[in-house]
Amino acid sequence: MTVAMIFNAGMDGFARAQQDATQASANINRATTAQLDTQQLQLGRQPQGASNGETLIAPVAEAPRLEQELVNLQVAELQAKASARVIASADDLLGTIIDIRA
């Protein structure tokens, strides 16, 4: 395995962690909004974002579970840290190779 391949693996892992964190954050937002809408419906009020003329209906799609999305966010953070370590190791390895050659 070359240093470039190690570096690319770290970068790919970091990019994946960023995507996972973004997705988990969006799902946390959806879950929180769905909980607020459910509370508003129970109180007989309009959900957030509804205009005055819209009827009160329950959300159609199943909201993501908040606990699971918080776990997903934590996993993405750990993946980013691990990928950063891989990138740092590739950098150290490259520095060592340059020192040996010089």
Side-chain angles (χ1 to χ4, degrees):
M1 189 174 244
T2 66
V3 176
M5 290 173 64
I6 296 170
F7 183 76
N8 285 337
M11 292 298 293
D12 290 343
F14 197 82
R16 177 67 182 175
Q18 185 178 13
Q19 290 172 351
D20 291 348
T22 300
Q23 183 64 45
S25 298
N27 287 342
I28 289 169
N29 184 33
R30 273 190 27 219
T32 305
T33 303
Q35 286 176 351
L36 292 174
D37 285 348
T38 301
Q39 290 171 356
Q40 292 298 319
L41 287 171
Q42 289 171 348
L43 294 172
R45 299 179 186 156
Q46 289 182 328
Q48 291 188 1
S51 66
N52 290 336
E54 292 180 315
T55 59
L56 300 177
I57 57 171
V60 176
E62 181 73 26
R65 291 189 46 196
L66 185 58
E67 301 85 9
Q68 182 61 45
E69 295 306 325
L70 289 171
V71 169
N72 291 345
L73 189 59
Q74 186 70 28
V75 168
E77 178 186 358
L78 294 173
Q79 183 179 3
K81 286 180 181 180
S83 296
R85 288 184 187 142
V86 169
I87 294 167
S89 295
D91 183 52
D92 290 344
L93 179 60
L94 185 58
T96 302
I97 291 171
I98 290 172
D99 289 343
I100 291 171
R101 292 276 186 161

Coordinates of all heavy atoms in Angstrom, one line a residue:
M1 N 0.8 -1.2 0.0 CA 0.0 0.0 0.0 C 0.9 1.2 0.0 O 1.8 1.4 0.8 CB -0.9 0.0 1.2 CG -2.0 1.0 1.3 SD -3.1 0.8 2.7 CE -4.6 0.4 1.8
T2 N 0.6 2.2 -0.9 CA 1.4 3.4 -1.0 C 0.9 4.5 0.0 O -0.2 4.4 0.5 CB 1.4 3.9 -2.4 OG1 0.0 4.4 -2.7 CG2 1.8 2.9 -3.4
V3 N 1.7 5.4 0.2 CA 1.4 6.6 1.1 C 0.1 7.3 0.5 O -0.8 7.7 1.3 CB 2.6 7.5 1.3 CG1 2.1 8.7 2.1 CG2 3.7 6.8 1.9
A4 N 0.1 7.4 -0.8 CA -1.0 8.1 -1.4 C -2.3 7.4 -1.2 O -3.4 8.0 -0.9 CB -0.8 8.3 -2.9
M5 N -2.3 6.0 -1.2 CA -3.5 5.2 -1.0 C -3.9 5.4 0.5 O -5.1 5.5 0.7 CB -3.2 3.8 -1.3 CG -3.0 3.5 -2.8 SD -2.5 1.8 -3.2 CE -3.9 0.9 -2.6
I6 N -3.0 5.4 1.4 CA -3.3 5.6 2.8 C -4.0 7.0 3.0 O -5.0 7.1 3.7 CB -2.1 5.4 3.7 CG1 -1.6 4.0 3.6 CG2 -2.4 5.8 5.1 CD1 -0.2 3.8 4.2
F7 N -3.3 8.0 2.4 CA -3.9 9.4 2.5 C -5.3 9.5 1.9 O -6.2 10.0 2.5 CB -2.9 10.3 1.8 CG -3.3 11.8 1.9 CD1 -3.1 12.5 3.1 CD2 -4.0 12.4 0.9 CE1 -3.5 13.8 3.2 CE2 -4.4 13.7 1.0 CZ -4.1 14.4 2.2
N8 N -5.5 8.8 0.7 CA -6.8 8.9 0.1 C -7.8 8.1 0.9 O -9.0 8.5 1.0 CB -6.7 8.3 -1.3 CG -6.1 9.2 -2.3 OD1 -6.0 10.4 -2.1 ND2 -5.5 8.7 -3.3
A9 N -7.4 7.0 1.6 CA -8.4 6.3 2.4 C -8.8 7.2 3.6 O -10.0 7.2 4.0 CB -7.7 5.0 2.9
G10 N -7.9 7.9 4.2 CA -8.2 8.8 5.2 C -9.1 9.9 4.8 O -10.1 10.3 5.5
M11 N -8.9 10.5 3.6 CA -9.7 11.6 3.1 C -11.1 11.0 2.8 O -12.1 11.7 3.0 CB -9.1 12.2 1.8 CG -7.8 12.9 2.1 SD -8.0 14.3 3.2 CE -9.0 15.4 2.1
D12 N -11.2 9.8 2.2 CA -12.5 9.2 1.9 C -13.3 9.0 3.2 O -14.5 9.3 3.2 CB -12.4 7.9 1.1 CG -11.9 8.1 -0.3 OD1 -12.0 9.3 -0.8 OD2 -11.4 7.1 -0.9
G13 N -12.6 8.5 4.2 CA -13.3 8.3 5.5 C -13.8 9.6 6.1 O -14.9 9.6 6.7
F14 N -13.0 10.6 6.0 CA -13.4 11.9 6.5 C -14.6 12.5 5.8 O -15.5 13.0 6.4 CB -12.2 12.9 6.5 CG -12.3 14.0 7.4 CD1 -12.1 13.9 8.7 CD2 -12.8 15.2 6.9 CE1 -12.2 15.0 9.6 CE2 -13.0 16.3 7.7 CZ -12.7 16.2 9.1
A15 N -14.6 12.3 4.5 CA -15.7 12.8 3.7 C -17.0 12.1 4.0 O -18.1 12.7 4.1 CB -15.4 12.7 2.2
R16 N -16.8 10.7 4.2 CA -18.0 9.9 4.6 C -18.5 10.3 6.0 O -19.7 10.4 6.2 CB -17.6 8.4 4.6 CG -18.7 7.5 5.0 CD -19.8 7.5 4.0 NE -20.9 6.6 4.5 CZ -22.0 6.5 3.9 NH1 -22.3 7.1 2.8 NH2 -22.9 5.7 4.4
A17 N -17.6 10.6 6.9 CA -18.0 11.0 8.2 C -18.8 12.4 8.2 O -19.8 12.6 8.9 CB -16.8 11.1 9.1
Q18 N -18.3 13.2 7.3 CA -19.0 14.5 7.1 C -20.4 14.3 6.6 O -21.3 15.0 7.0 CB -18.2 15.4 6.2 CG -18.7 16.8 6.1 CD -17.8 17.7 5.2 OE1 -17.0 17.2 4.5 NE2 -18.1 19.0 5.3
Q19 N -20.5 13.5 5.6 CA -21.8 13.2 5.0 C -22.8 12.6 6.1 O -23.9 13.0 6.2 CB -21.7 12.2 3.8 CG -21.1 12.8 2.6 CD -20.8 11.8 1.5 OE1 -21.0 10.6 1.8 NE2 -20.4 12.2 0.4
D20 N -22.2 11.6 6.9 CA -23.1 11.0 7.9 C -23.5 12.0 9.0 O -24.6 11.9 9.4 CB -22.3 9.8 8.5 CG -22.1 8.6 7.6 OD1 -22.8 8.6 6.5 OD2 -21.3 7.8 7.9
A21 N -22.6 12.9 9.3 CA -22.9 13.9 10.3 C -24.0 14.9 9.8 O -24.9 15.2 10.5 CB -21.7 14.7 10.8
T22 N -23.9 15.2 8.6 CA -24.9 16.1 7.9 C -26.2 15.4 7.9 O -27.3 16.0 8.2 CB -24.4 16.5 6.5 OG1 -23.2 17.2 6.6 CG2 -25.5 17.4 5.9
Q23 N -26.3 14.1 7.5 CA -27.5 13.4 7.5 C -28.1 13.2 8.9 O -29.3 13.4 9.0 CB -27.3 12.0 6.8 CG -28.6 11.2 6.7 CD -29.5 11.9 5.7 OE1 -29.2 12.3 4.7 NE2 -30.8 11.9 6.1
A24 N -27.3 12.9 9.8 CA -27.8 12.7 11.2 C -28.4 14.1 11.7 O -29.4 14.1 12.4 CB -26.7 12.2 12.1
S25 N -27.7 15.2 11.4 CA -28.1 16.5 11.9 C -29.5 16.8 11.2 O -30.4 17.3 11.9 CB -27.1 17.6 11.5 OG -25.9 17.3 12.2
A26 N -29.6 16.5 10.0 CA -30.9 16.8 9.3 C -32.0 15.9 9.9 O -33.1 16.4 10.1 CB -30.8 16.5 7.8
N27 N -31.7 14.7 10.2 CA -32.7 13.8 10.8 C -33.1 14.2 12.2 O -34.2 14.1 12.6 CB -32.2 12.3 10.8 CG -32.3 11.7 9.4 OD1 -32.9 12.2 8.5 ND2 -31.5 10.7 9.2
I28 N -32.1 14.7 13.0 CA -32.4 15.3 14.3 C -33.3 16.5 14.2 O -34.3 16.6 14.9 CB -31.1 15.7 15.0 CG1 -30.3 14.4 15.4 CG2 -31.4 16.5 16.2 CD1 -28.9 14.7 15.9
N29 N -33.1 17.3 13.2 CA -34.0 18.4 13.0 C -35.4 18.0 12.6 O -36.4 18.5 13.1 CB -33.4 19.3 11.9 CG -34.2 20.6 11.6 OD1 -34.8 21.1 12.6 ND2 -34.3 21.0 10.4
R30 N -35.5 17.0 11.7 CA -36.8 16.4 11.3 C -37.5 15.8 12.5 O -38.7 16.0 12.7 CB -36.6 15.4 10.2 CG -36.6 15.9 8.9 CD -36.7 14.9 7.8 NE -37.4 13.6 8.2 CZ -37.0 12.4 7.8 NH1 -35.9 12.3 7.0 NH2 -37.7 11.4 8.2
A31 N -36.8 15.1 13.4 CA -37.4 14.4 14.5 C -37.9 15.5 15.5 O -39.0 15.4 16.1 CB -36.4 13.5 15.2
T32 N -37.1 16.5 15.7 CA -37.5 17.6 16.7 C -38.7 18.3 16.1 O -39.7 18.6 16.9 CB -36.3 18.5 16.9 OG1 -35.2 17.8 17.3 CG2 -36.7 19.6 17.9
T33 N -38.7 18.6 14.9 CA -39.9 19.3 14.2 C -41.1 18.5 14.3 O -42.2 19.0 14.6 CB -39.5 19.7 12.8 OG1 -38.4 20.5 12.8 CG2 -40.7 20.5 12.2
A34 N -41.0 17.2 14.1 CA -42.1 16.3 14.1 C -42.7 16.2 15.5 O -43.9 16.2 15.7 CB -41.7 14.9 13.6
Q35 N -41.8 16.2 16.5 CA -42.3 16.2 17.9 C -43.1 17.5 18.2 O -44.1 17.4 18.8 CB -41.1 16.0 18.9 CG -40.5 14.6 18.9 CD -39.3 14.6 19.8 OE1 -38.8 15.6 20.3 NE2 -38.8 13.3 20.0
L36 N -42.5 18.6 17.8 CA -43.2 19.9 18.0 C -44.6 19.9 17.3 O -45.6 20.4 17.8 CB -42.4 21.0 17.5 CG -41.1 21.3 18.4 CD1 -40.3 22.4 17.7 CD2 -41.5 21.7 19.8
D37 N -44.6 19.4 16.0 CA -45.9 19.3 15.3 C -46.9 18.4 16.0 O -48.1 18.8 16.0 CB -45.6 18.9 13.8 CG -45.0 19.9 13.0 OD1 -44.9 21.1 13.4 OD2 -44.5 19.6 11.8
T38 N -46.4 17.3 16.5 CA -47.3 16.4 17.2 C -47.9 17.1 18.4 O -49.1 17.0 18.7 CB -46.6 15.1 17.6 OG1 -46.1 14.5 16.4 CG2 -47.5 14.1 18.3
Q39 N -47.1 17.8 19.1 CA -47.6 18.5 20.3 C -48.6 19.6 19.9 O -49.6 19.8 20.6 CB -46.4 19.2 21.1 CG -45.5 18.2 21.7 CD -44.2 18.8 22.3 OE1 -44.0 20.0 22.1 NE2 -43.4 18.0 23.0
Q40 N -48.3 20.3 18.8 CA -49.2 21.3 18.4 C -50.6 20.7 17.9 O -51.6 21.3 18.2 CB -48.6 22.1 17.2 CG -47.4 23.0 17.6 CD -47.8 24.0 18.6 OE1 -48.8 24.7 18.5 NE2 -46.9 24.2 19.5
L41 N -50.5 19.6 17.3 CA -51.7 18.9 16.8 C -52.6 18.4 18.0 O -53.8 18.5 18.0 CB -51.4 17.7 15.9 CG -50.9 18.1 14.5 CD1 -50.5 16.8 13.8 CD2 -52.1 18.7 13.7
Q42 N -51.9 18.0 19.1 CA -52.6 17.5 20.3 C -53.3 18.7 21.0 O -54.3 18.5 21.6 CB -51.6 16.8 21.2 CG -51.1 15.5 20.7 CD -50.0 14.9 21.6 OE1 -49.4 15.5 22.4 NE2 -49.7 13.6 21.3
L43 N -52.7 19.9 20.9 CA -53.2 21.0 21.5 C -54.3 21.7 20.5 O -54.9 22.7 20.9 CB -52.1 22.1 21.8 CG -51.2 21.6 22.9 CD1 -50.0 22.6 23.0 CD2 -51.9 21.5 24.2
G44 N -54.5 21.2 19.3 CA -55.4 21.7 18.4 C -54.9 22.9 17.7 O -55.7 23.7 17.2
R45 N -53.6 23.1 17.6 CA -53.0 24.2 16.9 C -52.4 23.8 15.6 O -52.2 22.6 15.4 CB -51.9 24.8 17.8 CG -52.4 25.4 19.1 CD -51.3 26.0 19.9 NE -51.7 26.4 21.2 CZ -50.9 26.5 22.3 NH1 -49.7 26.2 22.1 NH2 -51.4 26.8 23.4
Q46 N -52.1 24.7 14.8 CA -51.4 24.4 13.5 C -50.0 24.0 13.7 O -49.3 24.6 14.5 CB -51.5 25.6 12.5 CG -52.9 25.9 12.0 CD -52.9 27.0 11.1 OE1 -52.2 27.9 11.2 NE2 -53.8 27.0 10.1
P47 N -49.5 23.0 12.9 CA -48.1 22.7 13.0 C -47.2 23.9 12.5 O -47.7 24.7 11.8 CB -48.0 21.5 12.0 CG -49.3 21.0 11.9 CD -50.2 22.2 12.1
Q48 N -45.9 23.8 12.8 CA -45.0 24.9 12.4 C -44.9 24.9 10.9 O -44.9 23.8 10.3 CB -43.6 24.6 13.0 CG -43.6 24.9 14.5 CD -42.2 24.8 15.0 OE1 -41.2 24.6 14.3 NE2 -42.1 25.0 16.3
G49 N -44.9 26.0 10.3 CA -44.8 26.2 8.9 C -46.1 26.1 8.1 O -46.2 26.3 6.9
A50 N -47.2 25.8 8.8 CA -48.5 25.7 8.2 C -49.2 27.1 8.1 O -49.0 27.9 9.0 CB -49.5 24.8 9.0
S51 N -49.8 27.3 7.0 CA -50.5 28.6 6.8 C -51.8 28.6 7.5 O -52.3 27.5 7.9 CB -50.6 29.0 5.3 OG -51.5 28.1 4.7
N52 N -52.5 29.7 7.6 CA -53.8 29.8 8.3 C -54.9 29.0 7.7 O -55.7 28.5 8.3 CB -54.2 31.3 8.4 CG -53.3 32.0 9.4 OD1 -52.7 31.5 10.3 ND2 -53.3 33.4 9.2
G53 N -54.8 28.8 6.4 CA -55.9 28.1 5.7 C -55.7 26.6 5.6 O -56.6 25.9 5.3
E54 N -54.6 26.1 6.1 CA -54.3 24.6 6.0 C -55.0 23.9 7.1 O -55.2 24.4 8.2 CB -52.8 24.3 6.1 CG -52.1 24.8 4.8 CD -50.6 24.5 4.9 OE1 -50.0 24.7 5.9 OE2 -50.1 24.0 3.9
T55 N -55.5 22.7 6.8 CA -56.2 21.9 7.8 C -55.2 21.2 8.7 O -54.0 21.0 8.3 CB -57.1 20.9 7.2 OG1 -56.3 20.0 6.3 CG2 -58.2 21.5 6.3
L56 N -55.6 20.8 9.9 CA -54.7 20.1 10.8 C -54.7 18.6 10.5 O -55.7 17.9 10.6 CB -55.2 20.3 12.2 CG -55.3 21.8 12.7 CD1 -55.9 21.8 14.1 CD2 -53.9 22.4 12.7
I57 N -53.6 18.1 10.1 CA -53.4 16.7 9.8 C -52.1 16.2 10.4 O -51.2 17.0 10.7 CB -53.4 16.4 8.3 CG1 -52.2 17.2 7.6 CG2 -54.7 16.8 7.6 CD1 -52.0 16.9 6.2
A58 N -52.1 14.9 10.7 CA -50.9 14.3 11.3 C -49.8 14.2 10.2 O -50.2 14.1 9.0 CB -51.3 13.0 11.9
P59 N -48.6 14.2 10.6 CA -47.5 14.0 9.6 C -47.6 12.7 8.9 O -48.0 11.7 9.6 CB -46.2 14.1 10.5 CG -46.6 14.8 11.8 CD -48.1 14.5 11.9
V60 N -47.3 12.7 7.6 CA -47.5 11.4 6.8 C -46.3 10.5 7.0 O -46.5 9.3 7.3 CB -47.6 11.8 5.3 CG1 -47.7 10.5 4.5 CG2 -48.8 12.7 5.1
A61 N -45.1 11.0 7.0 CA -43.9 10.2 7.1 C -43.6 9.9 8.5 O -43.8 10.8 9.4 CB -42.7 10.8 6.4
E62 N -43.0 8.8 8.8 CA -42.5 8.4 10.1 C -41.3 9.2 10.4 O -40.4 9.3 9.6 CB -42.2 6.9 10.2 CG -41.7 6.4 11.5 CD -42.8 6.3 12.5 OE1 -44.0 6.1 12.1 OE2 -42.5 6.4 13.7
A63 N -41.3 9.9 11.6 CA -40.2 10.7 11.9 C -39.0 9.9 12.4 O -39.3 8.8 13.0 CB -40.6 11.7 13.1
P64 N -37.8 10.3 12.2 CA -36.7 9.5 12.6 C -36.6 9.5 14.2 O -37.1 10.4 14.8 CB -35.4 10.2 12.0 CG -35.9 11.4 11.4 CD -37.4 11.4 11.4
R65 N -36.0 8.4 14.7 CA -35.9 8.4 16.2 C -34.7 9.3 16.6 O -33.6 9.1 16.1 CB -35.7 6.9 16.6 CG -36.9 6.1 16.4 CD -36.8 4.7 17.0 NE -36.3 4.9 18.4 CZ -35.8 3.9 19.0 NH1 -35.7 2.7 18.5 NH2 -35.3 4.0 20.3
L66 N -35.0 10.1 17.5 CA -34.0 11.1 18.0 C -32.8 10.4 18.6 O -31.7 10.8 18.3 CB -34.7 12.1 19.0 CG -33.8 13.2 19.5 CD1 -33.3 14.1 18.3 CD2 -34.6 14.1 20.4
E67 N -33.1 9.4 19.4 CA -32.0 8.7 20.1 C -31.0 8.0 19.1 O -29.8 8.1 19.2 CB -32.5 7.6 21.0 CG -33.4 8.1 22.1 CD -34.9 8.2 21.7 OE1 -35.2 7.8 20.6 OE2 -35.6 8.8 22.4
Q68 N -31.6 7.4 18.1 CA -30.8 6.7 17.1 C -29.9 7.7 16.3 O -28.8 7.5 15.9 CB -31.6 5.9 16.1 CG -30.9 5.2 15.0 CD -29.9 4.2 15.6 OE1 -30.3 3.4 16.5 NE2 -28.7 4.1 15.1
E69 N -30.5 8.9 16.0 CA -29.8 9.9 15.2 C -28.7 10.5 16.0 O -27.6 10.9 15.5 CB -30.7 11.0 14.7 CG -31.7 10.4 13.7 CD -31.1 9.7 12.5 OE1 -30.0 10.1 12.0 OE2 -31.7 8.7 12.0
L70 N -28.9 10.7 17.3 CA -27.8 11.1 18.2 C -26.6 10.2 18.2 O -25.5 10.6 18.2 CB -28.3 11.4 19.6 CG -29.2 12.6 19.7 CD1 -29.9 12.7 21.1 CD2 -28.5 13.9 19.4
V71 N -27.0 8.9 18.2 CA -25.9 7.8 18.2 C -25.2 7.9 16.8 O -24.0 7.8 16.8 CB -26.5 6.4 18.4 CG1 -25.5 5.3 18.1 CG2 -27.0 6.3 19.8
N72 N -25.9 8.1 15.7 CA -25.3 8.2 14.4 C -24.4 9.4 14.3 O -23.3 9.3 13.7 CB -26.4 8.3 13.3 CG -27.2 7.0 13.1 OD1 -26.8 6.0 13.6 ND2 -28.3 7.1 12.5
L73 N -24.8 10.5 15.0 CA -23.9 11.7 15.0 C -22.6 11.4 15.8 O -21.6 11.8 15.3 CB -24.7 12.9 15.6 CG -24.1 14.2 15.5 CD1 -23.8 14.6 14.1 CD2 -24.9 15.2 16.2
Q74 N -22.7 10.7 16.9 CA -21.6 10.3 17.6 C -20.6 9.4 16.8 O -19.4 9.6 16.9 CB -22.0 9.7 19.0 CG -20.8 9.4 19.9 CD -20.3 10.7 20.5 OE1 -21.0 11.6 20.7 NE2 -19.0 10.6 20.8
V75 N -21.2 8.5 16.1 CA -20.4 7.5 15.3 C -19.7 8.3 14.2 O -18.5 8.0 13.9 CB -21.4 6.4 14.7 CG1 -20.6 5.7 13.6 CG2 -21.8 5.5 15.8
A76 N -20.4 9.3 13.6 CA -19.7 10.1 12.6 C -18.6 10.9 13.1 O -17.5 11.0 12.5 CB -20.8 11.0 11.9
E77 N -18.7 11.4 14.4 CA -17.6 12.1 15.0 C -16.4 11.2 15.2 O -15.3 11.5 14.9 CB -18.1 12.7 16.3 CG -17.0 13.4 17.1 CD -17.4 13.8 18.5 OE1 -18.5 13.6 18.9 OE2 -16.5 14.4 19.2
L78 N -16.7 10.0 15.7 CA -15.6 9.0 15.9 C -14.9 8.6 14.6 O -13.7 8.4 14.5 CB -16.1 7.8 16.7 CG -16.6 8.0 18.1 CD1 -17.2 6.8 18.7 CD2 -15.4 8.5 18.9
Q79 N -15.7 8.5 13.5 CA -15.2 8.1 12.2 C -14.3 9.3 11.7 O -13.2 9.0 11.1 CB -16.3 7.9 11.2 CG -15.8 7.4 9.9 CD -17.0 7.2 8.9 OE1 -18.2 7.3 9.2 NE2 -16.7 6.8 7.7
A80 N -14.7 10.5 11.9 CA -13.9 11.6 11.5 C -12.6 11.7 12.3 O -11.5 11.9 11.7 CB -14.7 12.9 11.7
K81 N -12.6 11.4 13.6 CA -11.4 11.4 14.4 C -10.4 10.3 13.9 O -9.2 10.5 13.8 CB -11.7 11.2 15.8 CG -12.3 12.4 16.5 CD -12.6 12.2 18.0 CE -13.2 13.4 18.6 NZ -13.5 13.2 20.0
A82 N -11.0 9.1 13.6 CA -10.2 8.0 13.1 C -9.5 8.3 11.8 O -8.4 8.0 11.5 CB -11.0 6.7 13.0
S83 N -10.3 8.9 10.9 CA -9.8 9.3 9.6 C -8.7 10.3 9.7 O -7.8 10.3 8.9 CB -11.0 9.8 8.7 OG -11.9 8.7 8.5
A84 N -8.9 11.3 10.6 CA -7.9 12.3 10.8 C -6.6 11.6 11.3 O -5.5 12.1 10.9 CB -8.3 13.3 11.8
R85 N -6.7 10.6 12.1 CA -5.5 9.9 12.6 C -4.8 9.2 11.4 O -3.6 9.1 11.3 CB -5.8 8.9 13.7 CG -6.1 9.6 15.0 CD -6.4 8.6 16.1 NE -6.8 9.2 17.3 CZ -7.8 8.7 18.1 NH1 -8.3 7.6 17.8 NH2 -8.1 9.4 19.2
V86 N -5.6 8.6 10.5 CA -5.0 7.9 9.3 C -4.3 9.0 8.5 O -3.2 8.7 8.0 CB -6.1 7.2 8.5 CG1 -5.6 6.8 7.1 CG2 -6.7 6.1 9.3
I87 N -4.9 10.1 8.3 CA -4.2 11.2 7.5 C -2.9 11.6 8.2 O -1.9 11.8 7.5 CB -5.2 12.4 7.3 CG1 -6.4 11.9 6.4 CG2 -4.5 13.6 6.6 CD1 -7.5 12.9 6.4
A88 N -3.0 11.8 9.5 CA -1.8 12.2 10.2 C -0.7 11.1 10.1 O 0.5 11.5 10.0 CB -2.1 12.5 11.7
S89 N -1.1 9.9 10.2 CA -0.1 8.8 10.0 C 0.5 8.8 8.7 O 1.7 8.5 8.5 CB -0.8 7.4 10.3 OG -1.2 7.4 11.7
A90 N -0.3 9.0 7.6 CA 0.3 9.0 6.3 C 1.2 10.2 6.1 O 2.3 10.1 5.5 CB -0.9 9.2 5.3
D91 N 0.9 11.3 6.7 CA 1.8 12.5 6.7 C 3.1 12.2 7.4 O 4.2 12.5 6.9 CB 1.1 13.7 7.3 CG 1.9 15.0 7.3 OD1 2.4 15.3 6.2 OD2 2.1 15.6 8.3
D92 N 3.0 11.6 8.6 CA 4.3 11.2 9.3 C 5.1 10.2 8.5 O 6.3 10.3 8.4 CB 3.9 10.6 10.7 CG 3.4 11.6 11.6 OD1 3.5 12.8 11.4 OD2 2.7 11.2 12.6
L93 N 4.4 9.2 7.9 CA 5.2 8.3 7.1 C 5.9 8.9 5.9 O 7.0 8.6 5.6 CB 4.2 7.2 6.6 CG 4.8 6.1 5.7 CD1 5.9 5.3 6.5 CD2 3.7 5.2 5.2
L94 N 5.2 9.8 5.3 CA 5.8 10.6 4.1 C 7.0 11.4 4.6 O 8.0 11.4 3.9 CB 4.7 11.4 3.5 CG 5.2 12.2 2.2 CD1 5.7 11.2 1.1 CD2 4.1 13.0 1.6
G95 N 6.8 12.0 5.8 CA 7.9 12.8 6.3 C 9.1 11.9 6.6 O 10.3 12.3 6.4
T96 N 8.9 10.7 7.2 CA 10.0 9.8 7.4 C 10.7 9.4 6.2 O 11.9 9.3 6.1 CB 9.4 8.6 8.2 OG1 8.8 9.0 9.4 CG2 10.5 7.6 8.5
I97 N 9.9 9.1 5.2 CA 10.5 8.6 3.9 C 11.3 9.7 3.3 O 12.4 9.5 2.8 CB 9.4 8.2 2.9 CG1 8.7 6.9 3.4 CG2 9.9 8.0 1.5 CD1 7.5 6.5 2.6
I98 N 10.9 11.0 3.4 CA 11.6 12.1 2.8 C 12.9 12.3 3.6 O 14.0 12.5 3.0 CB 10.8 13.4 2.9 CG1 9.7 13.3 1.8 CG2 11.7 14.6 2.6 CD1 8.7 14.4 1.9
D99 N 12.9 12.1 5.0 CA 14.1 12.3 5.8 C 15.1 11.2 5.5 O 16.3 11.4 5.5 CB 13.7 12.2 7.3 CG 13.0 13.4 7.8 OD1 13.0 14.5 7.0 OD2 12.3 13.4 8.8
I100 N 14.6 10.0 5.2 CA 15.5 8.8 4.9 C 16.2 9.1 3.5 O 17.4 8.8 3.4 CB 14.7 7.5 4.9 CG1 14.3 7.1 6.3 CG2 15.6 6.4 4.3 CD1 13.4 5.9 6.4
R101 N 15.5 9.6 2.6 CA 16.0 9.8 1.2 C 16.9 11.0 1.2 O 17.8 11.1 0.4 CB 14.8 10.1 0.2 CG 14.0 8.9 0.0 CD 14.6 8.1 -1.1 NE 13.7 7.1 -1.5 CZ 13.9 6.4 -2.6 NH1 14.8 6.8 -3.5 NH2 13.1 5.5 -2.9
A102 N 16.8 12.0 2.1 CA 17.6 13.2 2.0 C 19.0 13.0 2.6 O 19.5 12.2 3.1 CB 16.9 14.3 2.8

